[in-house]
Amino acid sequence: MKLTANLAQAIVNAAMERIPYNVNIMNEHGYIIASGNHDRINTLHVGALQAIEERKILPMDASFGPHGQPGVNMPLFYGGKVIGVIGITGNPQTVTPLASLLQATAELLLRQSEINRQQNSHHDQLNRFLNQWIKIKADIMQRTTFVLEAQQLKINLNHQWCVLAIHCPPQFIRSIRINPKDFTLSPTISTSIVITYQSSTINHLIKICRTKQVPLGIGEPNINLGNSADQAYQALEIQQILHNPKLIYYKDIALISDLMKQNFHLKPLVDKFNQLSQTTFGKELITTIGEYIRYNQSIKITADNMHIHRNTLNHRLLSIKKVFKLDPHNTLQLIALYIAYLQFMWRHEHSLK
């Protein structure tokens, strides 16, 4: 470990808040890198050189060296090596009793600083790894360096991992209990992801998100996380487009996702949707189509959930038939209407981004 000027000055400041004496810290070459007297910074401390050489607490009297001041110098050890010296200016008889305590405190701060540095380094490495992992869509085991880094981070790539995409700020994830075997990332300020192979984690997050009414999308298990991440994002997006919080698994929306993106030569129908979206009544008809299909063409359930009278719903369905020249009560014609509806909703949502 190398003793930095910033860390040394922090130790000096902390020490001088507790003792009425000036404190200096010198590096492994005897130069002052932190001090209560800033004029002395970057000057050579003769007494520190001897303390480094002798590897022990060294009292100094007034006649020590041409620039020396009375006090005590103490080597700072880390891993058995002298990495610097801490000095207290004052009568050696008065300040020596403080020497061992100050030395122990400084070395404790140094150890804690190194632990924090290592933890931060591990955290940064893990984040870099995870951000790469969620982009990989094929042949992960052919990436030798990546596999070795996974082993170093103790990540078992033999599990079938899946991605959960949650529409929430990072603090939401930090506020809930996540199993230490799982991983979290916050790619954007509004989306966080959880990477897990444990069904208990998935069930736990489903329960929390439903209780908090937080949108959640879940990709299929896959060692190549890029695929699972894409699927989780698609599930999250379609759930929000269709205003259906029950559509959380990709397997439940895979067909819908494909239908949204395919070109079935339904442009005239999609154009009709665009025209309808320009008026209040037209928007009501679009919403009615989505809800009517969502509730399996049940007039009663659809009307109840839309909080409208059955006659109002029937009137809207008749209007839909007139506008699109397709009968919502006819299954084949409803399929064409629904595909056009999905494509309109998908394109409309993406035009807003």
Side-chain angles (χ1 to χ4, degrees), residues 110-299:
L110 290 169
R111 284 195 293 272
Q112 185 59 52
S113 175
E114 179 63 10
I115 291 172
N116 292 343
R117 187 195 67 78
Q118 291 175 358
Q119 289 176 341
N120 289 337
S121 176
H122 177 270
H123 181 266
D124 291 344
Q125 181 187 9
L126 178 61
N127 271 350
R128 286 194 300 272
F129 178 88
L130 296 176
N131 276 296
Q132 292 176 14
W133 194 12
I134 63 171
K135 295 180 177 68
I136 295 176
K137 297 183 179 181
D139 300 326
I140 191 171
M141 287 304 184
Q142 301 303 314
R143 299 167 179 252
T144 305
T145 303
F146 190 85
V147 172
L148 290 175
E149 188 172 10
Q151 293 173 353
Q152 181 185 6
L153 292 168
K154 295 182 171 54
I155 296 175
N156 188 346
L157 293 179
N158 292 318
H159 289 306
Q160 288 293 300
W161 297 83
C162 73
V163 172
L164 291 78
I166 306 172
H167 186 66
C168 67
Q171 55 266 31
F172 176 82
I173 290 296
R174 291 195 291 265
S175 71
I176 61 180
R177 176 178 56 84
I178 298 294
N179 192 297
K181 294 180 181 179
D182 302 324
F183 306 102
T184 62
L185 279 175
S186 295
T188 70
I189 60 173
S190 61
T191 305
S192 294
I193 67 172
V194 176
I195 301 169
T196 184
Y197 61 87
Q198 303 181 98
S199 58
S200 58
T201 294
I202 296 173
N203 294 332
H204 175 62
L205 287 172
I206 290 175
K207 182 178 179 180
I208 289 177
C209 288
R210 282 178 174 167
T211 300
K212 303 287 187 181
Q213 296 185 327
V214 174
L216 164 71
I218 304 175
E220 294 288 280
N222 197 316
I223 189 173
N224 302 307
L225 271 194
N227 297 311
S228 187
D230 281 354
Q231 293 168 355
Y233 285 128
Q234 288 180 57
L236 184 61
E237 179 183 38
I238 291 173
Q239 174 194 144
Q240 294 178 287
I241 289 175
L242 300 182
H243 307 291
N244 188 345
K246 294 181 180 179
L247 298 176
I248 60 175
Y249 286 98
Y250 174 76
K251 62 184 180 183
D252 295 333
I253 60 90
L255 177 59
I256 296 175
S257 178
D258 288 341
L259 291 175
M260 282 183 167
K261 299 170 187 176
Q262 295 300 321
N263 182 7
F264 289 100
H265 306 291
L266 298 175
K267 186 177 183 301
L269 293 179
V270 176
D271 289 342
K272 287 286 185 183
F273 275 106
N274 286 321
Q275 293 172 13
L276 287 176
S277 68
Q278 303 304 311
T279 67
T280 300
F281 182 64
K283 291 177 181 177
E284 290 177 349
L285 294 184
I286 294 173
T287 301
T288 299
I289 292 171
E291 296 299 284
Y292 181 64
I293 295 170
R294 177 180 178 182
Y295 295 112
N296 300 313
Q297 301 167 254
S298 168
I299 296 295

Side-chain angles (χ1 to χ4, degrees), residues 49-57 75 77 80-82 103:
L49 293 175
Q50 185 173 351
I52 292 169
E53 182 180 347
E54 297 186 11
R55 297 171 62 87
K56 66 180 182 180
I57 296 176
F77 294 92
K81 296 181 179 179
V82 177
Q103 181 188 40

